[in-house]
Amino acid sequence: MRSTLLASLASYTGAALSASVLLSGGTIIAFDEDSNSLNVIRDGALLVTDDRIVGLYEEANPKGIRGDVEIVDCTHKIITPGFIDTHRHGWQTALKTLGSNSTLAEYFVTFSSYAAKPLYTPEDVYESQLAGLLEAINAGVTTTLDHAHNMWNTERAEAGLDASVESGARVFWAPAIDPTNGYSVPDQIKDWKKWNKRDFPNDLVTLGVAYDGWDVGAPEDTLAVAKLIKDTKPAVLTIHWLGGVWPIDSSPSLVHSFGVLNTSTAVVFSHGPGLTAAEAELLRATNQFVSITPESEMHYGHGHTFSHHIHEQAALGVDTHLAFSTDILTQARLWLQRTRSRLFDEVMHKWDIPARNPMSVNQAFLLATRQGALALRRPDLGAIKVGAKADLVVFDGRTPGMLGWADPVAAVILHANVGDITHVLVDGKFAKRDGKLTYTKYAELVERFLLSAEKIRKDFLARPLPVLAGSFFGAEGYAFYGSAKDIDVVRGQGTGYGPLFRGTGDKTTANAAVPGTKHDEL
Ligand SMILES: *[C@@H]1O[C@H](CO)[C@@H](O)[C@H](O)[C@H]1NC(C)=O
Ligand SMILES: *[C@@H]1O[C@H](CO)[C@@H](O)[C@H](O)[C@H]1NC(C)=O
Ligand SMILES: [Zn+2]
C-alpha cells in the first residue's frame, strides 16, 4: 500500500498548487443524513476539491480519481469534522491565566467588556483576536461564533473584524451592540451597516449581531436593534441569557416578544441557566439553540441546572478562553461527564445503584460538531458528508495517548488532546499541517501579542481586586452575594488555597503574596 501511495504522489508533482486533496487511508467519522447518525468508515479516503468534500470512499486508494490531486497519507489517523465553538469572546486572549479563581459576579467588574474597555487599543484587540483564533484552529476549532463585545469605538471594533478575516478561521463575528461613552447605539448601527456591505474573502467571515439588553437596555436601543435585525436579516443573533439566580434575563420568550426569534436569523442563547420547560418548548418551536459552555459555567458559577434537558437544541461553547481551555474537545468531555455525574446522582439520591449510562460519546461528539452547525443554521458545516464544507481535523491515532483505540469516537472524545491533532483544514485549505499552524506570520504575531499582553496585564494588575458584598449591582433586596465553603488541601490550619502567580512575565510575582485564608478568620 505504501508504494502505491508514493507512486501516486510522484505522479502529481504539482501537488502544492492542487485544487484537490485526497486524505487517504484514515478512519473517517462521517455523518449519515438518512439515519441521522455517525457513520464510521475505516481505511477509507476523503476527497476535497476547493472548499468542499466531494468524495467519500470505503477504500484508501479509490480508483478513477483524476486530475490534479495531492494525496495526503492518513493511515492510522482519525478524521473528524472541524469543531464548532458557539460562544467566545476573541478579544480576551491577552488576559490569559488572570481569572483562575474568578467568579461570574467578579468577572463583571474585572474582565467584562465594561471593565476591559480602558485597557485595549485597536492594536491590542487585533493581536488578541488573531492569536486567539489561531489558538482555536490549532485546537481543531474551525468555526467560532464570536460574541464580540469589544464594541468600544469604531477602530477597536473593526480591529476585531480585521483580525478575524486575517485568521483564516470560519468566524461568525457578532459585534455586541451596547451603548458606551462616545459610541452610541445609532453610531454602532451605522458601523454595522457599513461592515455589512464589506466583501468577506471566501465567505469565511459572516457578520452577525450580539445584543444583551433585551431586558435591561434602554427601550429605544432595544427597538433599534430589533429593527436592524428585521430589516437586514443577519445570519445570526447571539445573546447572553442568564435568568435562574441572576436578575438579568434575556430569555427566548422576551426576545420573541420583539419579533426576532422566529425569523430566518439563527438565534443562539449563551448559557441559559434560567431554562424552563416553556422556554425549551419555544426554542424547539422556533428551532433556536442554547450554547452550553460547560467549563465556563462550572468555573464561574453561572449554573446550568436544566441544560441537559435541551440537548437537541444545544451546542457547545468555550466562552472566556482567558480562564480555561480553548478547545471544544475538553468542553465535550467535561459536559459528557458532568451530565453523567448529575444523572447518576439523581439515581443515587433514591438510594439506587446506576445501571445504565445515560449519555454516550456519540452524543458528546454531535454536540461538539453537528449541533453547532445546526445552531448556526449551516448544515454544510460540522459533518463529514459529500457536499459539506471541507472543515476537517486529522488526529494522529498512534500517539502514546491514542494508541490502542477501537472506537474512533471514544478515542476522540475521551482520549485525544490538542497535541494529537496533526492537520486542520478550513474551507479546504490546510490551516495546520504536520502539527504546525500554516499562518506564515505567526512568529511575528507572537512577539507583538506578548508585548501587548504584558502591557494589558500590568494595567490590569494595578487595579484593586473587587470585594463583593450585599446585593448584586442595583438589584436591591432580592439578589444577594453568597460564598461557597473553602476547600482544604493542606492538613492543619489554613486551606492550602495558596497564592496566585500573576507576575508580569519576568521573575517578579506581583500580586502573588496573598496567603491562604485561615478557617478561624471566616
Ligand atoms: C413561527 O413562524 C411559523 C411560520 O411563519 C409559524 O407557523 C409558527 O407558528 C411560528 N411559531 C411561533 C412560536 O411563533
Ligand atoms: C483568588 O485568590 C486570591 C489569592 O489567593 C485571593 O486573594 C482572592 O480572594 C481569591 N478570590 C476568590 C473569589 O476566591
Ligand atoms: Zn460570554
Side-chain angles (χ1 to χ4, degrees):
M1 178 145 92
R2 187 133 192 102
S3 60
T4 327
L5 280 171
L6 287 171
S8 313
L9 263 179
S11 59
Y12 296 113
T13 44
L17 299 170
S18 295
S20 292
V21 174
L22 185 74
L23 303 179
S24 162
T27 295
I28 301 164
I29 306 179
F31 187 78
D32 177 43
E33 288 288 346
D34 295 335
S35 64
N36 240 326
S37 61
L38 297 173
N39 172 32
V40 168
I41 303 170
R42 292 177 199 262
D43 297 321
L46 186 160
L47 182 65
V48 173
T49 297
D50 299 326
D51 58 330
R52 301 274 165 182
I53 298 167
V54 297
L56 276 174
Y57 310 91
E58 306 231 322
E59 54 195 322
N61 297 293
K63 288 167 201 59
I65 292 179
R66 290 183 210 298
D68 200 5
V69 180
E70 180 191 1
I71 294 174
V72 176
D73 183 0
C74 289
T75 313
H76 310 311
K77 305 237 183 324
I78 298 173
I79 304 172
T80 72
F83 295 96
I84 297 181
D85 177 354
T86 54
H87 185 63
R88 188 179 166 94
H89 310 289
W91 59 270
Q92 294 181 332
T93 318
L95 298 164
K96 196 177 280 180
T97 72
L98 298 185
S100 73
N101 72 346
S102 181
T103 63
L104 182 59
E106 286 180 313
Y107 169 94
F108 288 129
V109 283
T110 50
F111 304 104
S112 68
S113 166
Y114 308 95
K117 180 181 172 186
L119 302 175
Y120 278 75
T121 64
E123 293 73 29
D124 294 326
V125 170
Y126 186 91
E127 322 296 15
S128 263
Q129 179 82 4
L130 184 53
L133 283 169
L134 292 169
E135 177 186 356
I137 288 179
N138 185 59
V141 176
T142 52
T143 296
T144 296
L145 171 53
D146 194 336
H147 185 128
H149 45 20
N150 52 301
M151 281 288 274
W152 299 314
N153 62 23
T154 303
E155 294 70 35
R156 286 185 278 174
E158 239 162 44
L161 175 56
D162 291 341
S164 302
V165 171
E166 172 75 3
S167 73
R170 196 176 296 287
V171 181
F172 289 77
W173 189 76
I177 295 183
D178 187 8
T180 181
N181 247 348
Y183 198 30
S184 66
V185 165
D187 287 346
Q188 296 184 14
I189 289 180
K190 215 164 105 207
D191 279 345
W192 191 92
K193 288 182 173 163
K194 179 183 75 184
W195 299 326
N196 199 32
K197 291 209 185 83
R198 253 170 90 156
D199 224 359
F200 296 111
N202 303 328
D203 291 328
L204 277 177
V205 173
T206 304
L207 193 66
V209 174
Y211 183 67
D212 290 343
W214 301 97
D215 55 343
V216 294
E220 65 273 20
D221 291 345
T222 306
L223 290 174
V225 172
K227 181 172 176 349
L228 176 73
I229 291 158
K230 286 184 219 167
D231 291 350
T232 62
K233 303 179 175 59
V236 59
L237 163 67
T238 189
I239 299 161
H240 282 118
W241 172 29
L242 289 176
V245 302
W246 302 93
I248 327 169
D249 196 6
S250 285
S251 65
S253 52
L254 180 61
V255 174
H256 194 34
S257 72
F258 287 90
V260 293
L261 189 71
N262 195 23
T263 69
S264 61
T265 295
V267 186
V268 177
F269 292 90
S270 301
H271 317 306
L275 184 74
T276 61
E279 297 292 352
E281 208 36 53
L282 184 57
L283 290 170
R284 288 187 198 101
T286 53
N287 196 21
Q288 304 293 13
F289 280 67
V290 169
S291 175
I292 301 170
T293 63
E295 195 166 11
S296 117
E297 291 160 7
M298 291 195 275
H299 178 110
Y300 289 126
H302 296 60
H304 46 214
T305 320
F306 299 119
S307 309
H308 56 297
H309 291 298
I310 187 79
H311 274 178
E312 77 282 19
Q313 298 297 137
L316 297 176
V318 169
D319 200 6
T320 66
H321 63 296
L322 72 100
F324 32 72
S325 349
T326 205
D327 61 299
I328 289 291
L329 280 177
T330 299
Q331 303 310 324
R333 186 174 305 161
L334 282 172
W335 189 245
L336 172 65
Q337 309 298 30
R338 166 72 170 123
T339 303
R340 287 172 164 178
S341 161
R342 171 168 35 208
L343 293 173
F344 286 149
D345 283 351
E346 288 179 11
V347 176
M348 288 184 274
H349 287 156
K350 294 186 287 180
W351 210 238
D352 287 338
I353 292 166
R356 321 187 45 245
N357 211 318
M359 185 173 168
S360 69
V361 288
N362 290 29
Q363 290 173 316
F365 188 91
L366 288 172
L367 281 175
T369 53
R370 181 167 155 85
Q371 292 289 100
L374 296 181
L376 297 164
R377 301 200 172 168
R378 285 291 301 268
D380 60 333
L381 303 177
I384 295 185
K385 58 188 179 183
V386 171
K389 283 280 191 182
D391 291 359
L392 299 164
V393 179
V394 181
F395 290 86
D396 184 347
R398 286 210 168 173
T399 60
M402 294 289 269
L403 199 64
W405 59 271
D407 177 343
V409 183
V412 166
I413 293 297
L414 297 176
H415 297 273
N417 67 55
V418 169
D420 300 324
I421 296 175
T422 310
H423 310 305
V424 177
L425 286 88
V426 182
D427 218 40
K429 283 177 207 66
F430 281 93
K432 180 180 188 180
R433 187 156 192 170
D434 299 321
K436 281 215 153 56
L437 290 169
T438 61
Y439 183 69
T440 51
K441 292 172 277 178
Y442 192 65
E444 298 151 47
L445 170 67
V446 166
E447 297 309 321
R448 288 201 318 269
F449 166 73
L450 288 177
L451 286 176
S452 154
E454 188 175 349
K455 182 203 70 174
I456 289 170
R457 184 160 58 235
K458 202 158 146 267
D459 293 348
F460 176 85
L461 291 175
R463 297 170 163 183
L465 280 172
V467 179
L468 302 180
S471 64
F472 177 78
F473 287 98
E476 282 109 19
Y478 69 102
F480 294 99
Y481 294 115
S483 275
K485 184 179 183 299
D486 272 10
I487 292 304
D488 255 319
V489 164
V490 175
R491 288 175 63 145
Q493 284 294 309
T495 62
Y497 197 100
L500 299 183
F501 301 102
R502 308 201 290 182
T504 51
D506 56 18
K507 290 219 173 75
T508 64
T509 47
N511 241 325
V514 186
T517 321
K518 291 226 162 72
H519 273 161
D520 41 12
E521 286 171 7
L522 289 175

